[in-house]
Amino acid sequence: MTEAFPTFEVVPAVDMQDGEVVQLVQGERGTETRYGDPVEAAERWVDEGAETLHLVDLDGAFEGDRKNAEAVEAVVDAVDVPVQLGGGIRSADDAVELLELGVERVILGTAAVENPDVVSEISESHPGSVMVSLDAKDGEVVVSGWTEGTGLDPAEAAARYEDLGAGAILFTDVDVEGQLEGVQTDVTRRVVDAVDIPVVASGGVASLPDIRALKEAGAAAVVVGTALYEGAFTLGEAQEAVRE
C-alpha cells in the first residue's frame, strides 16, 4: 500500500444510485441530477487525467445495503487508477472483500462511528487502506446519510481515528455540499491540523479558487462532483490551477 496522495490531487466523484451516476444537493434523496453510466463516467475522468476515483454507493449509504455492487465491480475492472469506495460498508468483512476485489481504499463513515475498533481490525491486515469519512454539519459529525448528529467534534474525531490506524480522513462539509456556492476552509484546516495522515476535502467546490483554497488549508486532495459534471471547469483546468 503506497501512501495516499503524495501530491495534491483533484479526485472526481462517481456517486451511484440505482446503478446510475447522480449528484445530490446536501445529500438529500430526491434532489438528484442523473449523469448516466458509472463505467462511462469513470473512464471519462481517467481519460481526462484523474489519478484516483472516488466512488460512493448512495443506496448503501442510506440503507446499509450495497445495491450498486455490480456497478462498483464494473468500474474497478474498467479503470487502472486507484479507486476509493464508500457507502454501505458496515463490517470488516465487507471492507476486506472489497479490498481484495481491487478497491484501493475503503471509506467508513457510520460503521467507524458506531464501532471505532473496525478501523484497527481492517488496518491490521490491510495497513493504510481505511479512509474514515467525517461529515460535519454545524460543526458536528453526522452519520446515517447526514441525518443523525453524534456530538463529536470533527478534529477530535479525526485524531482518534488516526490513533486507531486510519490511513486518511475524508472530510465533508455538509453545510455547503452540492450547492455550488463555494467552500468554507476553517473546519477543514482544523481537521488537517489535528492529524498527520492525509485529509481529503469534499463539499461545495464550485470554482478553481475553491480548489486552491482547500489546498492552502492543507488538504491532501479534493473530491469534486457537481462542478465537474455541470462543466464549471474541466478536470485539466482544476489540476493546472493547483500545480506549483
Side-chain angles (χ1 to χ4, degrees):
M1 175 68 62
T2 54
E3 186 201 340
F5 311 109
T7 58
F8 186 87
E9 282 186 41
V10 180
V11 181
V14 181
D15 295 359
M16 292 165 284
Q17 183 174 294
D18 301 326
E20 281 190 291
V21 178
V22 302
Q23 288 287 297
L24 307 182
V25 178
Q26 285 195 298
E28 290 183 18
R29 296 180 102 170
T31 64
E32 62 270 6
T33 304
R34 298 181 181 277
Y35 297 100
D37 179 69
V39 171
E40 287 176 14
E43 289 177 334
R44 171 191 167 188
W45 299 130
V46 172
D47 287 346
E48 291 189 19
E51 297 166 71
T52 303
L53 290 176
H54 177 83
L55 272 55
V56 180
D57 182 336
L58 290 168
D59 297 301
F62 285 109
E63 292 159 26
D65 182 17
R66 293 185 41 248
K67 288 189 175 176
N68 295 284
E70 283 183 20
V72 169
E73 285 186 39
V75 170
V76 172
D77 287 345
V79 300
D80 56 2
V81 300
V83 166
Q84 58 193 40
L85 170 70
I89 304 169
R90 294 291 191 257
S91 69
D93 287 346
D94 280 353
V96 169
E97 184 182 324
L98 288 162
L99 293 165
E100 291 175 351
L101 179 76
V103 170
E104 180 86 1
R105 281 180 292 280
V106 288
I107 305 165
L108 301 183
T110 303
V113 172
E114 291 179 349
N115 176 22
D117 291 337
V118 74
V119 176
S120 41
E121 192 180 337
I122 300 162
S123 300
E124 276 172 25
S125 60
H126 294 76
S129 66
V130 178
M131 174 180 268
V132 173
S133 172
L134 296 175
D135 304 335
K137 199 171 189 175
D138 300 326
E140 173 188 25
V141 175
V142 290
V143 294
S144 298
W146 302 342
T147 57
E148 291 176 31
T150 61
L152 296 171
D153 174 82
E156 289 172 14
R160 174 181 173 203
Y161 290 115
E162 180 179 27
D163 290 343
L164 287 167
I169 298 292
L170 174 69
F171 179 67
T172 302
D173 186 343
V174 178
D175 294 326
V176 294
E177 168 66 27
Q179 299 188 75
L180 287 181
E181 290 177 4
V183 297
Q184 307 174 122
T185 55
D186 293 355
V187 193
T188 303
R189 198 183 299 273
R190 280 187 54 233
V191 174
V192 168
D193 289 347
V195 296
D196 292 322
I197 53 176
V199 174
V200 177
S202 169
V205 171
S207 66
L208 299 176
D210 288 337
I211 293 175
R212 284 193 287 264
L214 289 167
K215 183 184 181 188
E216 285 162 14
V222 59
V223 173
V224 185
T226 306
L228 282 175
Y229 287 98
E230 288 294 322
F233 47 78
T234 67
L235 182 56
E237 287 168 343
Q239 291 168 329
E240 190 60 38
V242 290
R243 272 200 194 104
E244 288 166 345

